[in-house]
Each structure stands twice: as C-alpha cells, then as structure tokens.
Amino acid sequence: MTSCRLCGSADLVSVVDLGSTPPCELFLTAGQLDEPEVTYPLHLRVCTNCWLAQIPSLITPEETFTEYAYFASFSASWVEHARAFVADAVERLKPSFVVEVASNDGYLLQHVVERGVRCLGIEPSANVGQAAKDKGVPTVTEFLTPETGAAVRAEHGPADLVVANNVYAHIPDLIGFTEGLRALVADDGWVSIEVQHLLTLMELNQYDTIYHEHFQYYTVASAQRALASGGLSLVDVELLPTHGGSIRLWARPEGVAGEVSDNVARVLTREKTAGLHDLSGYADFAARVARVRRDLLRFLIAVADEGGTVVGYGAPGKGNTLLNHCGIRQDLLAYTVDRNPYKHGRYTPGTRIPIVAPERIAQDRPDYVLVLPWNLREELSAQLSYIHEWGGRLVFPIPHLEVV
Ligand SMILES: [Zn+2]
C-alpha cells in the first residue's frame, strides 16, 4: 500500500500486522479441506496526514457482496435498533422520501414503509435484496457510486434522509461512495451513517474486528474529512454501543450544514486525548495485541496440559481474525458452535476448526467455553449460564483474558 485512499499522502505508518489470513467469511466444506486456501496480508496502517486507519483493498466488494449470506433480520436486537432509529428520525425530520444504502433484507426500511413514508433501498446483493422486496420494500440492485446515486436521484427524486449503516468501512472507493451519498441527498437533506469507532477499537483491544472486508476504521476526525471529500459536512455525532462501540454521524450538504454540535467537539477531544490525532495513541497497540494473543495461548495450553476441554461459542467473522492470528487449531479448541445452520458441518477458514450446532455443548459438558462474539457478552452470559451446572466457565479473550 503506497498511498492513503482518502488524502493520497504516502506517509502511512504501521499500527499492527496480523499476518496473512483467508477472507473471514469463507467457511470451508469437508470437501475443501484437502484443497489449498488463499490468504491475504492483514496489515493495519494509519495515515499521518488525515489519520484514516486502513488496510489495502485486496478483496473487492463485488467478490464479497454480489451473492451474500448475511441477512440482517436474523438479529432481533439489530432489527429493534433499526426500528428505534426510524421512529426517532421520522418523528424529528419528517422526511417524505428515505433512501437506505446497503439496505440488506429491508430490516430498517420495513419500519419506514409501516409509517407510510416513501422509501427505496439500494442493495448490491440480489438474493438479499429480493428478501426486502418480498417484504414490500422497494429495492434496486446496485453498488453506490456517483453515477448510480445520480441515476436514482433522476428517477426517484432527491432523498430527505439517506441512511448508510455498517457499510462505510466496507467500500474501498470511499470518496466515490461519499459522492454517491451527496448525489442521493436533497440539497437541504440529511445523511445518517453508522460505523465502528476506532476509539473503542483501540481502547478495548478489539483487533479482531480488523478483517479484509473492513477497508478503513474511523475516528470522528477522519470521518469528518471523508465526508468533506464528497461535499458533505458533519453536524452531529452519537456514540452507540453496537459492534463494541460505533458512531452515528449526521451530515448535511455543505452550505446548509451550519455549526457543528457540542457532541462533535466532545468526541474529538476524547480522540485527541487518546492520542489518535497524532502517533502516540497508535504506538503501543501492536504490543497490546501481542499480549492478548500470549495470554489466550498460555491459558489454552495450560488447560490442554491438564487434560481439560475447551470449545468455542460462535463462528463470527471476527472470530476468524482472532483464531488465525493466535494460531489456534483443534488441539486447543475442539470445535465451535454456531446458531446459523449454514455453518454446521463447515470449518473455520485457515484454522479448520469444525462448526457444530449449539446443543453439542450440553451433551459434552466442556470445562471452558471460549466466547468469540464478545460484543454480545451480556446476552451470551445469560444464554450460556447452564454450563455452570457442571462447573463449566466462560472465557472472554478481549479486551483482555477473563475466565468467569
Ligand atoms: Zn490520508
């Protein structure tokens, strides 16, 4: 990677090098275990000019998202999050036309339809977009670019509110995507974006959320600059607990934006204090990541030496960054379980740990369950409390090793 994708500067500094791993959603079938597996470097760097943290774009979104297996509506808590957002935004902004980019299966826009407000989803995966249409959510199959944004505006009119959740990290052409948002939104309209916050990623050692589908990682400072690259001005920000710590950015076209809110100033100050607007905050991250790895491996090896058993809970994308980076194989983690039947009988990419149904835990009564989706800690602690019946314990690897 020779230059920053936002500002073009050549001054990129290494934050953490996680080695080379396969794409984190490519779960293997039994038949693929004897075949070679392609890996890609996973090296996070930060630009010392605009402070955008980024990895090289080695996998295109077209490869990942044209036929996609993720349906947002499977997560009840995410659908509720979207419902609450729509209730608030429609009440406050009173839009007559809402567009959502990466609208998935209509998990959010279904609530806009319910309120009788005209809307349109823009979703690149045809199979996922079809699920939205089946719910009565109008959807076009497109990637957002300046051209497709302009075409949607010409056909459907400008949007009073444009929503883009969990997509701003997934697009290597970040300037083109932002210009696309500007093309969609009315000249006096609003854009709302939710994306993971680099501040919590750094503070809480969430290094497993770094994977190939996430091309960049935002502070509010770098997001503000990214928005400006497409003619949008940041006016407000909210801090959200989703994905271990996210930001909801509110932006408007330049010229109507007015003054930025106190919230923006407050979060910028927190980022600056954490050293994320200079190199100091990044300097020890690689050492903290190495510590997470050593602590987890030391624990797993000690349990194995004593003849104990450890199994995993969950097979999320981020679990695969952790398993690959730590070099954990079946001798240290017998299997992992997942609620998604698509993954049953498959193996984790790179580390080839079998994935089975959750019922297996109650049958086998392992000594420890390593929780890979640590962002659902509260929910899973309750759901897995039955393992305490036989003295089983839960293991959380991040932000630092905890056995409870
Ligand atoms: Zn830059």
Side-chain angles (χ1 to χ4, degrees):
M1 185 162 202
T2 53
S3 63
C4 170
R5 67 170 58 96
L6 176 54
C7 76
S9 164
D11 294 324
L12 297 173
V13 173
S14 176
V15 178
V16 66
D17 183 352
L18 298 171
S20 192
T21 69
C24 73
E25 296 293 346
L26 281 187
F27 294 92
L28 305 172
T29 61
Q32 289 172 312
L33 292 179
D34 286 326
E35 293 172 11
E37 209 178 340
V38 180
T39 67
Y40 301 84
L42 191 53
H43 191 168
L44 183 72
R45 296 180 177 89
V46 68
C47 170
T48 60
N49 180 52
C50 72
W51 302 102
L52 184 72
Q54 52 203 293
I55 64 168
S57 58
L58 299 171
I59 305 174
T60 68
E62 286 77 8
E63 284 171 276
T64 308
F65 296 113
T66 303
E67 177 83 18
Y68 198 37
Y70 176 71
F71 290 81
S73 293
F74 278 154
S75 167
S77 59
W78 187 241
V79 172
E80 171 53 28
H81 177 80
R83 192 203 58 73
F85 168 80
V86 168
D88 175 67
V90 168
E91 191 64 34
R92 202 156 49 86
L93 305 175
K94 308 212 175 345
S96 56
F97 182 40
V98 178
V99 170
E100 187 188 15
V101 184
S103 49
N104 200 271
D105 60 5
Y107 74 102
L108 185 141
L109 288 180
Q110 62 184 349
H111 305 295
V112 178
V113 171
E114 269 170 25
R115 287 171 175 270
V117 176
R118 189 165 69 94
C119 67
L120 180 71
I122 302 179
E123 167 56 44
S125 308
N127 61 322
V128 178
Q130 186 57 47
K133 289 181 201 168
D134 293 345
K135 287 184 187 131
V137 175
T139 303
V140 294
T141 306
E142 291 285 8
F143 280 97
L144 180 63
T145 63
E147 294 74 31
T148 58
V152 166
R153 186 193 188 104
E155 189 178 341
H156 301 271
D160 306 304
L161 172 63
V162 177
V163 183
N165 290 346
N166 296 330
V167 62
Y168 212 39
H170 295 69
I171 31 100
D173 181 8
L174 140 79
I175 297 175
F177 183 90
T178 309
E179 289 170 349
L181 293 175
R182 177 63 189 91
L184 289 171
V185 70
D187 296 343
D188 60 351
W190 292 83
V191 176
S192 176
I193 296 173
E194 285 181 29
V195 71
Q196 196 194 358
H197 195 189
L198 184 65
L199 178 67
T200 38
L201 189 162
M202 301 293 288
E203 283 181 340
L204 298 175
N205 300 331
Q206 298 163 346
Y207 80 90
D208 57 345
T209 60
I210 300 166
Y211 43 77
H212 297 105
E213 289 87 343
H214 289 169
F215 298 102
Q216 54 265 334
Y217 304 81
Y218 296 94
T219 55
V220 169
S222 61
Q224 192 170 27
R225 191 152 177 168
L227 289 164
S229 75
L232 294 169
S233 295
L234 179 70
V235 290
D236 195 13
V237 64
E238 299 169 57
L239 298 180
L240 309 173
T242 45
H243 302 289
S246 298
I247 41 180
R248 180 183 287 149
L249 306 159
W250 288 96
R252 307 194 75 185
E254 280 168 7
V256 298
E259 285 190 19
V260 295
S261 72
D262 292 345
N263 288 338
V264 173
R266 260 195 296 276
V267 181
L268 286 173
T269 302
R270 274 188 62 192
E271 291 176 356
K272 197 169 189 319
T273 308
L276 298 184
H277 299 173
D278 62 76
L279 269 181
S280 63
Y282 303 90
D284 71 339
F285 188 66
R288 288 192 278 131
V289 167
R291 159 70 67 177
V292 168
R293 174 173 182 265
R294 289 201 307 277
D295 286 349
L296 178 58
L297 281 175
R298 191 181 296 115
F299 170 79
L300 293 174
I301 290 168
V303 173
D305 282 348
E306 290 158 13
T309 49
V310 189
V311 305
Y313 187 92
K318 58 175 164 287
N320 290 323
T321 292
L322 182 85
L323 295 172
N324 277 291
H325 172 251
C326 293
I328 294 167
R329 301 290 186 279
Q330 228 185 320
D331 60 324
L332 296 179
L333 193 69
Y335 56 81
T336 190
V337 305
D338 199 275
R339 290 169 83 176
N340 182 351
Y342 166 84
K343 295 178 181 171
H344 299 164
R346 291 179 193 256
Y347 296 79
T348 57
T351 52
R352 298 162 173 238
I353 291 167
I355 306 167
V356 297
E359 294 71 35
R360 185 73 180 274
I361 292 180
Q363 289 164 25
D364 290 355
R365 300 161 75 95
D367 300 310
Y368 299 96
V369 176
L370 174 67
V371 180
L372 295 171
W374 45 259
N375 54 312
L376 306 175
R377 180 167 179 156
E378 216 168 294
E379 185 180 333
L380 291 180
S381 295
Q383 216 178 90
L384 291 169
S385 61
Y386 64 88
I387 73 165
H388 299 303
E389 288 168 21
W390 62 81
R393 298 173 78 188
L394 294 176
V395 181
F396 295 94
I398 284 175
H400 49 78
L401 187 77
E402 271 183 275
V403 181
V404 294

